[in-house]
Amino acid sequence: MSDPFDLDSTPPSDEGAEVKDDAPPLGEAVPLSQQAQQARAGGEASVGGIDAAAMLDDLNDAQREAVLAEDGALLLLAGAGTGKTRALSTRIAYKIATGQAYPSQVLAVTFTNKAALEMRQRIGSLLGSAVEEMPWLGTFHSLSSRILRRHAELVGLTDKFSILNADDQLRYFKQILKSENIDDKRYPARLIAGIIDRWKNRGYYPDEVPTSEASHFANGHAIQIYSIYQNRLKTLDIADFGDLIMHAVHILRDHKDVLAEYQKKFKHILVDEYQDTNVVQYLWLRLLALGHSNICCVGDDDQSIYGWRGAEIENILRFEKDFAGAKTIKLEQNYRSSPHILAAASGLIKSNEGRLGKTLWTDRKDGEKIFLRGCYDGEEEARLIGDDIEAHHRAKRDLNEISILVRAGFQMREFEDRFITLGLPYRVIGGPRFYERAEIRDANAYLRLIQHPSDDFALERIINRPRRGLGNVALQTLTSAARAMETNLFQAAQTLITTDELKPAARNALQSFIRAVERWQQRATEMTHTELAELVLDESGYIAMWQADKSPEAPGKLENIKEMVSSMGDFENLAGYLEHIALVMEAQSNDSGDEKVSLMTLHAAKGLEFDIVFLPGWEEGVFPHQRSLDEEGTRGLEEERRLAYVGITRAKQLVTISFAGNRNLHGRWINATPSRFIDELPCDHVQVNDDAHIPSPITHRATSATHATPIKEAWQRSPAQTIEGKAVSSSASAAQSVDYKRGERVFHQKFGYGHIEVVDGNKLAIAFDKAGRKKVLADYVEKHG
DNA sequence: GTCCTAAATTTTTTT
DNA sequence: AATTTAGGAC
């Protein structure tokens, strides 16, 4: 009887909720201005001892207007640093505190889990502990997943469906390409995946794709694969990321009764980062908001940076047409950045066309101009930034308030290398994720298979990990058997072990594997999911496999698995845990509050702020990224420019933009040109900085740009030298044969000091004091007493 | 079926 | 440059 997703579980009582839903304690009947006065006067409007009026005290006029605006469609056009999350959270908290809505009647949607968490915390602190639950606050994906589980049968799934991750998805596309005899050189799986993803972002099932697109994209192969793929997912009872939202929209669209239920349920809909919504997400909102149109969207057209994921900036530009009678409130007072930073960012974004147009202003007067620095190459850039950060650190600046924002992940490496050498503590945000590590995915695959035997992707992953003698041939046989029977691999395997299609050795191996899984499934009902995980990882031999592994990373992997198992205790049951890892991917950061510099991509930085921000790699081809220009033209360029805008506006006090004259990109030296965005920065707010305060070890470089030099001239002069003569550096350390022994202490140019753990010919596995375990060639280290 | 070597491919951004 | 994939030897 207990349905975890019961729509009306949170209000005081199920029956009562119906009535109260229609007549909230203090209602829309009272004009809002009056209501606000009441609230200010003494909090009569408040419920549960919370002082709703106090929430308004620290807001500016526009923010207060946003909180108090009448029901109906409302667009908050909020520039960077204008307190949009604050306004949105307060609007929700205010509605709850004044009794206009129960927490369970508020649908609040964000894009990232991080944003959802932050909003939850903000609302929580506004409301105190009085109202903790906000069951319908989450990301589009997590909320859709909930809706989908509740009505899965309407789209041919069960409530236990698994969620497919991008990795397995791509592997499966490759399989289909092969089995359909499609040339994967001409039509790479990535391309097909991209096309299908775009269709899903627009909400098209295979039979709904416009015919012209269906026949032209990838010569018709895309639609062919999409159709096969979607059918297969259905038989396996699996949904991918795109499906979560697409299926939810189809359910709402095709089942009036279900839609009505949710429409009635959600009295208030609030959406964060509206500029990033794509077509399906728009439909999703549109359907749910239909009727009362009680929807409040917050966004900034200048921060739309997810066009490549299907985001339609038009959604926000069109808002007032979409929702008749919509009201727009602009939040323009910026509380974050200094005037120079704000002016530089505003000047840059002016080059974009088709903006809604906001004028950010601040009453701050302090602050320095943006620093611009040309460097010889990427290594020097990393060194100079490292030096700057050390200087800030010595000046007692908090490292947590310093960040380096890069265009793409590969740019992070040289900074990590440099920071390790310096011993400078740093954290990578959105870097390699815990749940994406191979050992964690293996362990989870065991659990997925037990939970949901039709999860072919899980079975394929672990059927031969550890080695059971079930290699490609056995898997091939199994796959074709499954296809012939039109069922999943697990069921096919159960049949296959009763026939003699497989050789005896393989058949026995398969049989004992299947029996083991069946046994674990039974045990699952009689123990906690944590105990189950321990049992399975032990009995399967998976733990033993890593224990027997002599490679230096094996102990770390075992450590990760241990961490994973212990984290499972935070979840109610196995299903809850699996749902979490599929949707969240990020392990809860148990960051020990230590001071650390943050390193991340510009995309990951959205919504964050720092005192000091470094923006390296502003070179044509890197930023704006070449691919973006090639594939999206002007549209792509404008999105890159918005990304630059996002980067600059993260800073409260200090921005340092830099570029290198020579850049090593995947092994080739490129003679780089400074980014066009540098030219677009207004000169009055930029200071060309040639490291007057930090002596540069590169002597053959021009070092004379003055503060007054216009930006253009400065960069044309400074980093003009190219790479000749540079590539000699590594050949100097000729291979002298030295004997190394286990336990010996050594020094490495990049990783610092460490001791040898394993000697394998001229290869050494070394545990570095700061850099952790690495495999290194003996030529690159020297002995150290 | 497994292991080793050579070649190809990667690097835009994420739920 | 580094990691993944394919092919060939055993």
Side-chain angles (χ1 to χ4, degrees):
Chain A
M1 122 96 223
S2 82
D3 170 4
F5 304 123
D6 187 335
L7 280 178
D8 284 312
S9 60
T10 313
S13 82
D14 280 344
E15 293 82 357
E18 278 289 308
V19 182
K20 284 178 195 158
D21 277 6
D22 292 336
L26 185 112
E28 297 93 5
V30 185
L32 268 139
S33 52
Q34 205 179 318
Q35 200 181 97
Q37 277 165 15
Q38 271 180 21
R40 282 191 208 99
E44 300 101 303
S46 301
V47 169
I50 302 157
D51 188 357
M55 293 180 191
L56 305 172
D57 287 348
D58 299 329
L59 302 179
N60 65 30
D61 288 346
Q63 289 171 334
R64 192 174 304 122
E65 196 188 346
V67 171
L68 296 174
E70 291 173 45
D71 288 352
L74 175 65
L75 177 65
L76 296 186
L77 207 51
T82 56
K84 74 180 165 66
T85 310
R86 178 176 200 184
L88 195 61
S89 306
T90 309
R91 187 174 165 90
I92 294 172
Y94 189 82
K95 292 217 179 287
I96 293 171
T98 55
Q100 294 175 67
Y102 290 99
S104 64
Q105 293 172 330
V106 177
L107 176 68
V109 198
T110 64
F111 274 83
T112 65
N113 294 292
K114 199 172 62 186
L117 186 68
E118 193 193 333
M119 194 174 295
R120 190 176 289 281
Q121 282 166 348
R122 287 222 194 191
I123 295 171
S125 75
L126 284 167
L127 292 174
S129 54
V131 185
E132 284 170 3
E133 284 149 291
M134 279 274 295
W136 293 95
L137 186 162
T139 63
F140 274 106
H141 289 89
S142 67
L143 294 170
S144 294
S145 175
R146 272 177 79 170
I147 293 175
L148 186 53
R149 276 200 202 281
R150 202 164 177 266
H151 309 281
E153 76 287 351
L154 297 178
V155 288
L157 297 174
T158 77
D159 61 355
K160 288 200 303 199
F161 69 83
S162 306
I163 298 171
L164 187 67
N165 62 312
D167 239 47
D168 288 338
Q169 187 190 44
L170 200 64
R171 205 167 312 133
Y172 185 46
F173 282 138
K174 281 179 187 157
Q175 279 180 31
I176 304 178
L177 284 170
K178 197 171 266 177
S179 67
E180 294 295 306
N181 283 319
I182 297 167
D183 181 6
D184 63 347
K185 290 283 184 290
R186 216 166 136 185
Y187 306 108
R190 279 190 95 80
L191 175 85
I192 304 286
I195 295 170
I196 293 175
D197 197 47
R198 263 167 272 148
W199 282 332
K200 292 195 171 189
N201 284 156
R202 289 195 281 157
Y204 295 140
Y205 277 170
D207 59 352
E208 296 168 335
V209 173
T211 43
S212 64
E213 289 185 22
S215 52
H216 287 113
F217 285 17
N219 202 16
H221 291 312
I223 190 70
Q224 172 194 0
I225 291 169
Y226 185 21
S227 185
I228 296 170
Y229 172 72
Q230 218 59 19
N231 281 334
R232 188 75 185 151
L233 289 194
K234 199 184 274 187
T235 42
L236 298 180
D237 194 22
I238 292 177
D240 69 15
F241 265 90
D243 285 345
L244 294 175
I245 303 179
M246 181 172 68
H247 282 324
V249 163
H250 276 78
I251 288 169
L252 296 173
R253 199 192 59 193
D254 298 339
H255 301 272
K256 292 280 179 284
D257 52 326
V258 177
L259 177 62
E261 185 186 3
Y262 286 101
Q263 283 177 343
K264 192 171 171 201
K265 169 74 187 163
F266 301 131
K267 300 282 185 226
H268 299 277
I269 299 175
L270 299 103
V271 189
D272 194 18
E273 308 280 15
Y274 187 65
Q275 76 282 352
D276 290 332
T277 49
N278 59 33
V279 172
V280 231
Q281 288 160 340
Y282 168 77
L283 292 171
W284 194 96
L285 290 169
R286 195 73 219 247
L287 282 161
L288 289 170
L290 224 70
H292 56 58
S293 282
N294 234 337
I295 182 169
C296 170
C297 296
V298 189
D300 180 357
D301 51 323
D302 291 332
Q303 292 188 67
S304 166
I305 55 175
Y306 285 102
W308 52 274
R309 206 172 69 187
E312 303 252 326
I313 193 169
E314 287 75 21
N315 283 351
I316 193 167
L317 303 177
R318 230 188 26 228
F319 186 85
E320 285 166 316
K321 283 184 198 136
D322 280 344
F323 295 95
K327 181 172 184 176
T328 299
I329 297 173
K330 290 185 185 181
L331 302 185
E332 297 182 300
Q333 182 175 5
N334 176 292
Y335 293 97
R336 181 186 293 152
S337 308
S338 73
H340 280 308
I341 292 173
L342 218 49
S346 302
L348 178 72
I349 201 68
K350 269 199 192 114
S351 303
N352 273 8
E353 313 242 325
R355 303 169 54 222
L356 287 172
K358 298 178 301 301
T359 317
L360 288 187
W361 61 276
T362 176
D363 52 18
R364 269 173 64 175
K365 298 279 186 294
D366 61 311
E368 298 187 55
K369 293 183 177 181
I370 287 190
F371 285 85
L372 178 64
R373 173 161 64 201
C375 308
Y376 178 76
D377 63 5
E379 208 182 318
E380 188 191 54
E381 186 179 45
R383 190 172 57 243
L384 293 175
I385 289 178
D387 290 348
D388 281 358
I389 293 174
E390 287 199 314
H392 287 308
H393 192 36
R394 278 193 298 274
K396 300 278 179 263
R397 302 297 300 247
D398 184 349
L399 292 182
N400 289 316
E401 283 297 329
I402 301 176
S403 73
I404 297 151
L405 311 181
V406 295
R407 172 68 246 263
F410 74 91
Q411 295 172 269
M412 293 190 198
R413 254 199 62 165
E414 38 197 13
F415 291 100
E416 291 198 62
D417 287 349
R418 185 63 192 160
F419 294 165
I420 288 165
T421 314
L422 291 175
L424 194 64
Y426 70 93
R427 71 168 70 83
V428 174
I429 295 185
R433 299 167 184 207
F434 185 73
Y435 293 121
E436 276 174 3
R437 293 165 201 230
E439 66 275 18
I440 301 301
R441 306 224 348 223
D442 288 341
N444 283 325
Y446 274 100
L447 299 172
R448 271 160 60 197
L449 188 63
I450 291 165
Q451 171 79 9
H452 199 218
S454 71
D455 192 334
D456 280 11
F457 300 93
L459 184 141
E460 245 178 80
R461 189 173 181 95
I462 51 158
I463 190 169
N464 207 27
R465 299 203 112 223
R467 300 244 137 94
R468 299 184 173 89
L470 294 166
N472 277 331
V473 176
L475 192 59
Q476 213 75 139
T477 317
L478 187 53
T479 307
S480 47
R483 195 158 309 154
M485 295 162 63
E486 288 185 345
T487 181
N488 55 65
L489 294 178
F490 190 80
Q491 235 176 52
Q494 286 175 318
T495 315
L496 206 59
I497 53 180
T498 65
T499 71
D500 54 4
E501 279 175 72
L502 283 172
K503 290 190 184 137
R507 188 167 69 232
N508 288 335
L510 184 61
Q511 176 160 39
S512 63
F513 176 70
I514 294 294
R515 293 283 173 263
V517 176
E518 288 168 345
R519 195 173 63 246
W520 295 326
Q521 281 169 349
Q522 275 166 14
R523 301 296 303 276
T525 58
E526 62 198 46
M527 52 174 67
T528 69
H529 56 293
T530 310
E531 290 166 340
L532 177 74
E534 282 166 350
L535 179 87
V536 170
L537 293 175
D538 179 41
E539 285 190 6
S540 63
Y542 191 76
I543 295 282
M545 178 183 94
W546 284 116
Q547 282 169 341
D549 194 312
K550 286 285 178 292
S551 67
E553 50 265 14
K557 306 231 172 203
L558 285 164
E559 198 58 39
N560 287 337
I561 294 169
K562 225 166 106 188
E563 194 182 324
M564 181 207 105
V565 173
S566 78
S567 81
M568 289 175 68
D570 298 342
F571 301 91
E572 239 177 84
N573 52 37
L574 188 55
Y577 166 75
L578 292 175
E579 177 93 355
H580 173 85
I581 59 162
L583 290 172
V584 179
M585 281 316 255
E586 214 64 72
Q588 59 275 38
S589 60
N590 40 346
D591 229 325
S592 49
D594 294 348
E595 270 198 35
K596 285 175 182 165
V597 175
S598 300
L599 182 55
M600 70 192 92
T601 64
L602 286 161
H603 283 86
K606 189 154 78 152
L608 304 179
E609 57 178 26
F610 301 90
D611 288 344
I612 299 166
V613 170
F614 292 92
L615 300 169
W618 281 41
E619 296 129 37
E620 284 294 302
V622 176
F623 190 35
H625 198 278
Q626 194 59 47
R627 277 277 259 281
S628 185
L629 299 176
D630 292 346
E631 288 166 19
E632 299 288 337
T634 310
R635 201 180 151 97
L637 175 64
E638 295 211 339
E639 182 153 313
E640 296 284 304
R641 192 178 282 116
R642 290 193 290 270
L643 208 44
Y645 174 84
V646 168
I648 295 171
T649 54
R650 294 313 92 194
K652 296 188 218 170
Q653 298 164 11
L654 221 51
V655 174
T656 303
I657 293 172
S658 56
F659 59 94
N662 301 289
R663 182 70 66 181
N664 192 326
L665 290 176
H666 23 106
R668 294 251 163 268
W669 282 100
I670 305 286
N671 191 342
T673 315
S675 169
R676 69 189 76 187
F677 297 150
I678 288 174
D679 293 332
E680 295 173 4
L681 294 169
C683 290
D684 295 348
H685 304 286
V686 177
Q687 179 174 340
V688 177
N689 175 305
D690 209 27
D691 320 320
H693 59 298
I694 303 164
S696 167
I698 306 269
T699 49
H700 59 267
R701 194 164 64 98
T703 55
S704 59
T706 64
H707 295 333
T709 311
I711 297 166
K712 241 183 191 162
E713 281 179 41
W715 61 252
Q716 278 169 353
R717 227 180 316 151
S718 150
Q721 287 80 8
T722 46
I723 206 65
E724 300 131 52
K726 173 73 180 176
V728 277
S729 59
S730 66
S731 61
S733 60
Q736 76 265 49
S737 56
V738 186
D739 287 334
Y740 288 100
K741 293 193 188 68
R742 195 161 175 262
E744 240 174 338
R745 211 156 158 71
V746 293
F747 176 77
H748 183 276
Q749 203 62 41
K750 269 185 182 158
F751 302 136
Y753 292 98
H755 64 269
I756 298 178
E757 291 201 319
V758 181
V759 181
D760 174 18
N762 67 338
K763 281 180 256 174
L764 306 173
I766 301 172
F768 290 104
D769 300 345
K770 288 185 173 127
R773 289 191 187 79
K774 305 262 183 211
K775 275 196 263 190
V776 174
L777 285 177
D779 297 346
Y780 290 94
V781 300
E782 47 195 82
K783 290 197 185 200
H784 187 78

